[in-house]
Amino acid sequence: MTWLDQLAVLVAGLGAGILTSTVGVASLLSFPVLVAVGLPPVVANTSNTVGMAPAGLSGSFGYRRELAEHPGVTATVLITAGGGGIAGSLLLLWLPGSVFEAIVPWLILGTCVLVGVQPRLSRFLRQHATDAEPRERISGLTTVFATLTGVYGGYFGAGSGVMMMAVLGLGTDLEFRTVNALKTFAVMAANVVATVIFLAIADLDWLAVGLLAGGSVVGGYVGSHIGRRLPATVLRSLIVVVGIGAATLMLVR
């Protein structure tokens, strides 16, 4: 890579780190940059996962107050996202890279719609529920979908944060800022376990990993403070707009 390529990767890491802790579509920024500077797609994907792991760590640290409010839910998210991430990272190494390409944009579009309508849908579900108590624990069905989201996060990851927000937003009655924190924590868990596997058996571009990591660790922490201060309606709107735009770009590329 030229020095301009290296600068582009570093800036992409910073921007993607901020996205990790806010709108949750980080890989849709960092992954294309790695491909654009000449990395093969699979190497770009594995290097992106490893390089973006620090963003999840610093973002989760920034959201530590929110994560401590519901330790049981936080633990469940850690287990489901981490376990799913193991399966997804192994699928990435075993399956052809084109397996999910056709459905990824539609998954992101669908989850963006869910994030957008989640307040009304949650109110409808509460009104028709037999138990009027707030849902502050993760049900069995929500656990299944959270695990599947972790699998996707380990496999490709683009938009997995948006998907996790949709799953947790519909499956619980937690505050939006808490759901955003849990989303960041889930992305971190999936990336960390995938990183361990990729370090052991995958091809990586260490220069790209280092540049992404340097930018993303700063971006993840900065993004957590941005995400905490943005009003829920504004953040939700940003997630929907950015997610739809990213999915559209994937469809037309």
Side-chain angles (χ1 to χ4, degrees), residues 12-89:
L14 176 65
I18 293 174
L19 292 177
T20 294
S21 299
T22 52
V23 298
V25 289
S27 292
L28 294 176
L29 170 62
S30 53
F31 175 74
V33 170
L34 294 182
V35 173
V37 300
L39 271 65
V42 174
V43 175
N45 199 358
T46 55
S47 300
N48 179 68
T49 297
V50 177
M52 290 304 301
L57 290 167
S58 62
S60 296
F61 179 76
Y63 280 124
R64 59 193 180 278
R65 292 201 304 271
E66 286 80 2
L67 295 175
E69 291 175 359
H70 302 277
V73 176
T74 300
T76 301
V77 167
L78 176 65
I79 294 169
T80 55
I86 293 173
S89 60

Side-chain angles (χ1 to χ4, degrees), residues 1-2 8 17 21 24 43 50 52 78 81 112 114 125 127 146 159 165 171 175 191 197 202-203 217 222 242:
M1 287 188 283
T2 67
S21 299
V43 175
V50 177
M52 290 304 301
L78 176 65
C112 284
L114 288 177
L125 293 174
Q127 290 170 358
M165 290 194 75
E175 292 184 41
N191 277 355
I197 294 173
D203 291 329
V217 71
V222 170
V242 173

Side-chain angles (χ1 to χ4, degrees), residues 195-202 204:
T195 291
V196 173
I197 294 173
F198 293 159
L199 287 175
I201 59 179
L204 298 169

Side-chain angles (χ1 to χ4, degrees), residues 30-192:
S30 53
F31 175 74
V33 170
L34 294 182
V35 173
V37 300
L39 271 65
V42 174
V43 175
N45 199 358
T46 55
S47 300
N48 179 68
T49 297
V50 177
M52 290 304 301
L57 290 167
S58 62
S60 296
F61 179 76
Y63 280 124
R64 59 193 180 278
R65 292 201 304 271
E66 286 80 2
L67 295 175
E69 291 175 359
H70 302 277
V73 176
T74 300
T76 301
V77 167
L78 176 65
I79 294 169
T80 55
I86 293 173
S89 60
L90 293 175
L91 286 175
L92 173 65
L93 299 175
W94 293 339
L95 296 178
S98 60
V99 171
F100 282 165
E101 284 186 4
I103 65 170
V104 164
W106 301 107
L107 285 172
I108 296 172
L109 283 172
T111 51
C112 284
V113 171
L114 288 177
V115 169
V117 303
Q118 181 262 318
R120 293 184 179 182
L121 186 55
S122 293
R123 283 196 298 269
F124 175 82
L125 293 174
R126 284 196 299 270
Q127 290 170 358
H128 292 78
T130 56
D131 185 1
E133 290 294 322
R135 298 172 299 164
E136 295 186 348
R137 295 183 180 181
I138 296 182
S139 67
L141 182 60
T142 302
T143 299
V144 170
F145 281 107
T147 303
L148 292 175
T149 302
V151 172
Y152 172 75
Y155 183 89
F156 183 60
S160 63
V162 177
M163 295 177 190
M164 186 61 77
M165 290 194 75
V167 169
L168 296 176
L170 290 173
T172 70
D173 292 325
L174 301 175
E175 292 184 41
F176 191 72
R177 62 178 178 82
T178 303
V179 171
N180 196 33
L182 290 166
K183 170 266 296 178
T184 302
F185 193 60
V187 171
M188 179 277 295
N191 277 355
V192 166

